[in-house]
Amino acid sequence: MQSDRTALAIHGGAGTIRPEDMVPDRVEAFHAGLRAALLAGHRVLATGGPAIDAVTAAVMALEDDELFNAGRGAVVTSGAEQEMDAAVMAGAGRAGAVAGIRGPRNPVLAARAVMERSDHVLLAGPGALAFCRAQGLVFEDDAYFETAARRAALDAVLAERARGGTVDDFDRHGTVGAVARDRTGALAAATSTGGMTGKMPGRIGDTPVFGAGTWADATCAVSATGHGESFIRMAAAHEISARMRLAGQGLEQAAADVVAEVGRVGGGGGLVAVDRDGRVAMPFNTRGMYRGAIGADGIVRTGIYAEALREHATTEEAIP
Ligand code: ASP
């Protein structure tokens, strides 16, 4: 395997909208959003940049796209407000995260600021916002982040709860994330989310909890999406690394087994993962997961449901 090989994989959330609600225009918009994020990250890797910059660029593109549940277009709590979580990890224990914030245009940049410019790993709430302001991050007002679609999703969840029904996972959650291996073999992961529609105010999911929804070390990098409480209870992202290091499992097997186990405890979801050789795994136990990757062949691949991945123009043609 080539030592300078790069790899990038992203997700835009598991628990996709029902296939019957997925009109063709929406399908195209999701594929286009995933492709744009992959190209943003790949541009960094192709020019010799570090994995942490690649995952940050990919996640920023998804945060800026209101179709995905992070940054602009994040889902809302039962109190109809947005509370966002984000995390980055660059291996060797370098990690930063924020929880329960709204204001910074790109929560992933807030997580990076925590990693690079504070003595801490995780900042939450008002203190996190004060830190972000002091660091000069770009802020946006509520109107930038909120969308009518997320408000309608909350109304649907609240109406279903009032009827005493159970809310299925379709359209309730999401999250965006990226994992990468750069030319030097360094690995990184980034994850960003609005959490779950109708979540209790103050609830924090797996995204900013290292080892649960986000992890990167010298063995693998992992970014998860799905029912956060289940991923936290299982330390799911770290479990993949542990199985590889201690039980000798390969990336694909370890990732598939952990996602299946999360499913067995009732947690719908999935993840993207990359190992130090640039292998990629993208398992999920839901009907779909917005996802994509650029592998050794340089072809951009994206998918939504459990169908064959769609192939786009090669990165060589697509990148000027
Ligand atoms: N994992 C996220 C959370 O629990 C939500 C999701 O990925 O759907 O906050």
Side-chain angles (χ1 to χ4, degrees), residues 97-185:
V98 288
I101 63 163
R102 182 187 55 208
R105 181 187 176 99
N106 291 105
V108 70
L109 292 182
R112 267 198 84 159
V114 172
M115 180 175 90
E116 289 166 352
R117 292 182 250 153
S118 86
D119 295 332
H120 307 296
V121 166
L122 173 56
L123 293 179
L129 288 179
F131 170 75
C132 292
R133 281 195 196 283
Q135 293 302 318
L137 293 190
V138 175
F139 274 59
E140 298 287 353
D141 58 17
D142 293 354
Y144 169 81
F145 293 108
E146 290 168 3
T147 64
R150 298 308 189 190
R151 183 62 221 216
L154 174 65
D155 291 345
V157 166
L158 296 181
E160 190 58 35
R161 278 185 191 153
R163 278 196 296 273
T166 49
V167 181
D168 82 16
D169 279 345
F170 282 103
D171 229 0
R172 197 181 161 217
H173 52 72
T175 285
V176 309
V179 292
R181 179 208 195 267
D182 65 29
R183 278 188 193 162
T184 71

Side-chain angles (χ1 to χ4, degrees), residues 55-259:
V55 295
T56 302
V59 165
M60 283 178 73
L62 293 165
E63 286 178 339
D64 291 345
D65 186 337
E66 67 175 51
L67 278 180
F68 299 98
N69 172 19
R72 184 165 195 224
V75 302
V76 294
T77 67
S78 59
E81 297 205 323
Q82 291 162 314
E83 295 179 358
M84 303 171 203
D85 305 331
V88 293
M89 192 159 182
R94 296 182 64 223
V98 288
I101 63 163
R102 182 187 55 208
R105 181 187 176 99
N106 291 105
V108 70
L109 292 182
R112 267 198 84 159
V114 172
M115 180 175 90
E116 289 166 352
R117 292 182 250 153
S118 86
D119 295 332
H120 307 296
V121 166
L122 173 56
L123 293 179
L129 288 179
F131 170 75
C132 292
R133 281 195 196 283
Q135 293 302 318
L137 293 190
V138 175
F139 274 59
E140 298 287 353
D141 58 17
D142 293 354
Y144 169 81
F145 293 108
E146 290 168 3
T147 64
R150 298 308 189 190
R151 183 62 221 216
L154 174 65
D155 291 345
V157 166
L158 296 181
E160 190 58 35
R161 278 185 191 153
R163 278 196 296 273
T166 49
V167 181
D168 82 16
D169 279 345
F170 282 103
D171 229 0
R172 197 181 161 217
H173 52 72
T175 285
V176 309
V179 292
R181 179 208 195 267
D182 65 29
R183 278 188 193 162
T184 71
L187 303 175
T191 316
S192 181
T193 190
M196 300 180 70
T197 301
K199 68 183 181 182
M200 186 186 290
R203 177 262 189 191
I204 294 168
D206 58 320
T207 295
V209 177
F210 290 102
T214 306
W215 185 254
D217 58 19
T219 299
C220 64
V222 181
S223 172
T225 172
H227 183 246
E229 284 73 5
S230 302
F231 282 81
I232 293 172
R233 289 186 182 111
M234 287 200 53
H238 182 268
E239 176 69 13
I240 294 172
S241 170
R243 285 170 187 238
M244 293 176 70
R245 286 181 287 112
L246 307 175
Q249 282 194 333
L251 179 80
E252 206 155 338
Q253 191 65 52
D257 287 359
V258 167
V259 166

